[in-house]
Amino acid sequence: IVLRRRAPIFARGLAMAGAVLLVSLTFRSVDEPLCHHLPRGTHFLWHLLNATLLPIVIDSYRRQMLAGLGARG
């Protein structure tokens, strides 16, 4: 929210990463209770989603810097 005006591209990327993290944490939280019903569980989804977070944040920051709207202030 703080970056929305100064760095809108980066702020949007962080919001997207936050949404991915929320889904990731949800899969991690339900993993143990679902293990009895799902042979593979959901733990692998936790790792896959977490692996997508870093590229989202890095790409958002890169786009923001290329747009020339970076850390001005």
Side-chain angles (χ1 to χ4, degrees), residues 40-59:
R40 294 183 185 246
T42 61
H43 190 80
F44 71 98
L45 293 171
W46 151 263
H47 289 286
L48 290 176
L49 289 169
N50 282 342
T52 65
L53 289 174
L54 188 58
I56 290 171
V57 174
I58 289 171
D59 186 58

Side-chain angles (χ1 to χ4, degrees), residues 1 5 10 12-13 17 20 22 25-26 37 40 42 45-46 55-57 63 66 69-70 72:
I1 292 173
R5 288 197 176 150
F10 189 50
R12 191 176 18 235
V20 171
L22 181 65
L25 287 172
T26 300
H37 305 290
R40 294 183 185 246
T42 61
L45 293 171
W46 151 263
I56 290 171
V57 174
R63 287 175 186 237
L66 289 176
L69 302 172
R72 293 181 190 172

